[in-house]
Amino acid sequence: METVGFIGLGIMGLPMCRNLLRAGYAVVVHDVAPAAVAAAVAAGAVAAGSSSAVAARCDTVIAMLPNSPHVRAALLGPDGVAAGARPGALVIDMSSIDPTVSREVGAALAGAGLRFLDAPVSGGEPKAVDGTLAIMVGGAALDFAAALPLLRRLGGTIVHCGDVGAGNVAKLANQIIVGLNLAAVAEALALVARAGVDPATVLAAIRGGAAGSAILEAKASQMLAGDMRPGFRVDLHHKDLANALAAGRALGAPLPLTAQVLELFQAARAAGLGDADHSAIARVYAQLAGAGAGAGTED
Amino acid sequence: METVGFIGLGIMGLPMCRNLLRAGYAVVVHDVAPAAVAAAVAAGAVAAGSSSAVAARCDTVIAMLPNSPHVRAALLGPDGVAAGARPGALVIDMSSIDPTVSREVGAALAGAGLRFLDAPVSGGEPKAVDGTLAIMVGGAALDFAAALPLLRRLGGTIVHCGDVGAGNVAKLANQIIVGLNLAAVAEALALVARAGVDPATVLAAIRGGAAGSAILEAKASQMLAGDMRPGFRVDLHHKDLANALAAGRALGAPLPLTAQVLELFQAARAAGLGDADHSAIARVYAQLAGAGAGAGTED
Amino acid sequence: METVGFIGLGIMGLPMCRNLLRAGYAVVVHDVAPAAVAAAVAAGAVAAGSSSAVAARCDTVIAMLPNSPHVRAALLGPDGVAAGARPGALVIDMSSIDPTVSREVGAALAGAGLRFLDAPVSGGEPKAVDGTLAIMVGGAALDFAAALPLLRRLGGTIVHCGDVGAGNVAKLANQIIVGLNLAAVAEALALVARAGVDPATVLAAIRGGAAGSAILEAKASQMLAGDMRPGFRVDLHHKDLANALAAGRALGAPLPLTAQVLELFQAARAAGLGDADHSAIARVYAQLAGAGAGAGTED
Amino acid sequence: METVGFIGLGIMGLPMCRNLLRAGYAVVVHDVAPAAVAAAVAAGAVAAGSSSAVAARCDTVIAMLPNSPHVRAALLGPDGVAAGARPGALVIDMSSIDPTVSREVGAALAGAGLRFLDAPVSGGEPKAVDGTLAIMVGGAALDFAAALPLLRRLGGTIVHCGDVGAGNVAKLANQIIVGLNLAAVAEALALVARAGVDPATVLAAIRGGAAGSAILEAKASQMLAGDMRPGFRVDLHHKDLANALAAGRALGAPLPLTAQVLELFQAARAAGLGDADHSAIARVYAQLAGAGAGAGTED
């Protein structure tokens, strides 16, 4: 069966790599963390010493990295994929990054005779483990078709959103909406709590109507309980919104509310909640409403 | 059958009044607009010359008025309900107003030996006509129980949210979330459009996940089509958010994102869109992104 | 010498009243607080039992009240100035209120055959005591001319800004700029402090250039010292900005940054700083940056 | 006399370079634009083929570049200063960049045995020509002392603000305050204009008091006249505020109002005003208040 390269074996990358191995692919891996490489090798992968060495050994290379600079370095840097890739190889970047960087990377790889898809995911570690991620893909239709059998081992919903960069545009649109819907629930509950009304009763009254949302269903009770376990971490959502604003600046799209929500996540981080679930934004409201740093929950 | 008073026969009040008549109630009505009174009389209601005259003729009085000052005047003013009410009468204010005014009015009526519920509704004219409004009620449990048979003629979902004012607190929580969820979709689509990606494809990719919401389902395609027909008008949502901020100020709850969305609705009104559907907030984003006043849609 | 009416003997009104007495005017006063009336009487004023009773005894009536509703009640209410005023009397409202209310009150008084100026002041208690307030006046040129000798006993700089309401428009423009300039200094210093750089050195480097402002000169060192003594209180600035936003809504002017600063002042009030100097907005930044409720200063 | 290197000969760099030549320094220059190099050579400079070639020929190297990535490349890149520098050379970066990048660059140069100052300037092209820039310097006291004679040929006010990075921290604090003070004036004038009051009269009434600022003096009349000539360009202020937000994110300082002003500058750029004076932010307010894209001024 086909050999696939996999660069970046973090919380998301490692289980994705395992799913490919389980499906029968031969996988050549690289990561800066030796322990992560060891875990992948223990699952059947073969280690290579650099991103370019990975690329030298396969026709399809997946990257799953923290942010734009890591992607730029791993794909275009001195020991990067482009430096070692086989002619016409397909590079699939599944990291969540600024789409203007995806386009820049895609153009550079095209200039080197390589094909490129940006294919960020949604769903977090549990869906990475289950192989049921939502995958939003940008790139040429032929490349999307070529990648589809592989992506089906990793995700449940796989949508071709447009040209290179469209995957990350869709991901950022998702993160903007999720961030604002979260803040909406936190802000409304802050008013309810301050008015001395029972938040759970209000939620029961409104959840079935126009205020209903996946976030309200998933996170409102977690906010009320003061449950901080992730879920999706504040630091990651903060990173995504910073990418959205960077893209907005590059593309000329003012994003005034996203800019405010980012600052609220910034305040959550400053309060030591970077590793907490992003619903911890409710704590910032509690702080603004005078509950003080020691308050257990926002009500 | 019981006689009920009804004050305020606007777009919402008139069909609600008709539903009570249809259910067999005798209804005594008042409105400042003679045409509205004539329409109610044509449906079987009896006209009275003032709010106090309405109150003099029944044990239950409903008010359905535009905003806090109208409620204060109609219930507590010189010719208001309190001036003419029977001892122990039940006053049900179904207007959407600042809950701190509901509490003030409720306290004044209690001082005059009257009972009070605030019971704002959600669902707009179609559900007022159908008698399927969502009704959020604040007040004593006994008063809620007493009002329930009547409210069932007007609404589908009827929730007792807490003491007097809790109905409007719930309504404002709803409007905050709806307003922010709307802005979230508009802001995300502005980025998508500016990136040259097809918004419909992105919506298809994300609607089933964490970004999903009732507003995304109901309004995103309306935004994309540039369809301005209400629905729920910008002016009314603007009014509700102003009430939320007034309540936030009175109660000590900072509402930074609501404050921003209000200014976006303000810009929509300044652009002549006060009567448009609230999804017209997407036009403000188009304007900010340089599309100019003449642009048909946000993409 | 002429008899002048004076309604509202608070922190500002009482010293202003004393300045008129000192200048030789006979002054008839009213206030809801008996102690304030007693203090004015001790200084030589004559007490009247209501605003209408004040108006009945003089051709010029000054009001100096907390906010729009008090002005409406004192001038147009049942026992208000309009109910007792002599034909053609001149009413000067020196309160800081929503200019759309000034216009409404001015129109109502004109309908009753009375003349009206709105003449809010700036400078606080010290300048009220010294008689050196800045006074911004709206109304007809003839009425301004008629009021000028009297206003010269109260203020140093007296500017005729336009028709009725223009005085409060100017005052709100002033308060918007002051509020944002304050927040600008607090926000910049928060970044400097977080970067571990000495704020005093930075201030010394930039104060002489484009960043220079009266607020930077007056308040930056107070922020750095954590000195909370007013000065101008958070609650009053909050009130003025709420009036600015109400006026913006009535007039169709979006004020997005004012809306944000108001929420920061709201957070300051929620933290128990309503009576502190408005430079206490720096504490909100300290709180957002994770310093916690107990931090003494923002650095 | 001493030989000095100068990298970056743009609108600011070229006149600064000429001032050094005029003062008798020998200057070795580099720029990516041949025309800029030619202009410097015409004034007496000597051209070198790369940043590293510049560094090889002198003990002090100045950089004056657009933004963080250019500085990183010119100082640390393959043909950069570090690659060619003499042992113990002093590198002075006078670009306005993110101070966290200054610190990163300073640490890298220190690791290569080089000394580093960040020394951004304020005052624009006119003061670059006159040699009267304000210079904010970060770095070791000994290095500051060594650079002072050179800096005195370029600037009027030269302040040592702290360790490496402190120069850009001071510069960003300056730009935050200037940006917010500008928006404050624009927002206040938008309310005044919408109220139908003469803005010039209001400005006359308030400029001498707490609302007074260097920006109000320099820019309010330019806003009223609709005069777009720079001055300081929207694009550059936008860049600086983006750096401030990046620094805020890196350092954990929430900057909510800066985030909003950036989005207003973003809207100005989207309206085609990137090259206009930053006072063009008043146009965004005119647009938000419904004046439409064709309006000449904000009133």
Side-chain angles (χ1 to χ4, degrees), chain A:
Chain A
M1 194 149 182
E2 193 189 345
T3 298
V4 174
F6 208 106
I7 298 165
L9 301 161
I11 290 173
M12 298 294 288
L14 188 57
M16 290 164 73
C17 174
R18 285 193 183 115
N19 281 331
L20 294 180
L21 289 163
R22 206 168 290 136
Y25 287 95
V27 187
V28 185
V29 301
H30 178 62
D31 192 285
V32 292
V37 173
V41 168
V46 175
S50 67
S51 294
S52 65
V54 167
R57 295 168 67 173
C58 46
D59 294 314
T60 304
V61 182
I62 293 173
M64 189 62 183
L65 294 159
N67 206 351
S68 309
H70 313 86
V71 169
R72 225 190 241 117
L75 300 190
L76 305 180
D79 291 316
V81 165
R86 300 179 178 179
L90 175 61
V91 181
I92 309 173
D93 178 31
M94 303 189 75
S95 321
S96 289
I97 69 169
D98 179 347
T100 60
V101 175
S102 299
R103 290 175 179 180
E104 171 201 325
V105 167
L109 292 177
L114 303 173
R115 296 175 296 149
F116 182 67
L117 297 171
D118 67 310
V121 306
S122 168
E125 191 185 1
K127 295 200 169 181
V129 171
D130 294 350
T132 57
L133 292 162
I135 310 180
M136 292 149 276
V137 189
L142 278 175
D143 298 337
F144 176 73
L148 205 46
L150 189 62
L151 295 178
R152 284 207 178 109
R153 300 304 184 166
L154 302 171
T157 314
I158 302 164
V159 179
H160 184 210
C161 295
D163 295 335
V164 166
N168 273 302
V169 166
K171 176 71 189 282
L172 292 183
N174 189 75
Q175 297 304 79
I176 287 171
I177 293 174
V178 169
L180 279 163
N181 287 10
L182 254 184
V185 173
E187 188 154 318
L189 289 179
L191 178 65
V192 170
R194 197 76 183 186
V197 175
D198 178 48
T201 306
V202 169
L203 288 171
I206 68 177
R207 68 194 286 180
S213 70
I215 283 295
L216 190 145
E217 291 304 314
K219 298 293 181 181
S221 57
Q222 189 171 354
M223 288 183 192
L224 294 177
D227 175 1
M228 297 297 192
R229 286 169 303 175
F232 189 66
R233 292 193 297 118
V234 164
D235 277 346
L236 286 173
H237 209 151
H238 178 268
K239 181 209 82 168
D240 288 341
L241 296 184
N243 280 336
L245 290 168
R249 284 200 278 275
L251 297 165
L255 304 171
L257 293 171
T258 303
Q260 280 317 103
V261 173
L262 178 74
E263 297 306 314
L264 293 174
F265 279 127
Q266 186 67 44
R269 298 173 81 210
L273 298 169
D275 283 329
D277 186 68
H278 56 165
S279 59
I281 197 171
R283 287 285 181 100
V284 178
Y285 280 95
Q287 196 181 27
L288 284 172
T297 68
E298 85 290 347
D299 57 336

Side-chain angles (χ1 to χ4, degrees), chain D residues 287-298:
Chain D
Q287 195 181 29
L288 284 172
T297 67
E298 84 290 344

Side-chain angles (χ1 to χ4, degrees), chain D residues 156-231:
Chain D
T157 313
I158 302 163
V159 179
H160 185 209
C161 295
D163 296 335
V164 167
N168 273 302
V169 166
K171 175 70 189 283
L172 291 183
N174 188 76
Q175 297 305 79
I176 287 171
I177 293 174
V178 169
L180 279 164
N181 287 10
L182 254 183
V185 173
E187 189 155 319
L189 290 178
L191 178 64
V192 170
R194 197 76 183 185
V197 175
D198 178 48
T201 305
V202 169
L203 287 171
I206 68 177
R207 68 194 285 181
S213 70
I215 283 296
L216 189 146
E217 292 304 316
K219 298 293 181 181
S221 56
Q222 190 171 355
M223 286 182 192
L224 293 177
D227 176 1
M228 297 297 194
R229 286 170 302 175

Side-chain angles (χ1 to χ4, degrees), chain B residues 91-275:
Chain B
V91 180
I92 308 173
D93 178 31
M94 303 190 74
S95 321
S96 288
I97 68 170
D98 179 347
T100 61
V101 174
S102 298
R103 289 174 178 180
E104 172 201 324
V105 166
L109 293 176
L114 304 172
R115 296 175 295 150
F116 182 67
L117 297 171
D118 67 310
V121 306
S122 168
E125 190 185 1
K127 294 199 170 182
V129 171
D130 294 350
T132 57
L133 293 162
I135 310 179
M136 293 148 275
V137 189
L142 277 175
D143 298 337
F144 176 73
L148 204 47
L150 189 62
L151 295 177
R152 283 203 179 114
R153 299 306 184 164
L154 302 171
T157 314
I158 302 164
V159 179
H160 185 210
C161 295
D163 296 335
V164 167
N168 274 301
V169 166
K171 176 69 189 282
L172 292 183
N174 189 76
Q175 297 304 79
I176 288 171
I177 293 173
V178 169
L180 280 163
N181 287 11
L182 254 183
V185 173
E187 189 155 318
L189 290 179
L191 178 65
V192 170
R194 197 78 183 183
V197 175
D198 177 48
T201 306
V202 170
L203 287 171
I206 68 177
R207 68 193 287 180
S213 69
I215 283 296
L216 189 145
E217 292 303 316
K219 299 292 180 181
S221 56
Q222 189 170 356
M223 287 182 191
L224 293 177
D227 175 1
M228 296 297 192
R229 284 169 303 173
F232 189 66
R233 293 192 296 119
V234 163
D235 278 345
L236 286 173
H237 209 151
H238 178 269
K239 181 208 81 166
D240 287 342
L241 296 184
N243 280 335
L245 290 168
R249 285 201 276 276
L251 297 165
L255 304 171
L257 293 171
T258 303
Q260 276 323 100
V261 173
L262 178 73
E263 298 305 315
L264 294 174
F265 278 128
Q266 185 68 44
R269 296 173 82 210
L273 298 169
D275 284 328

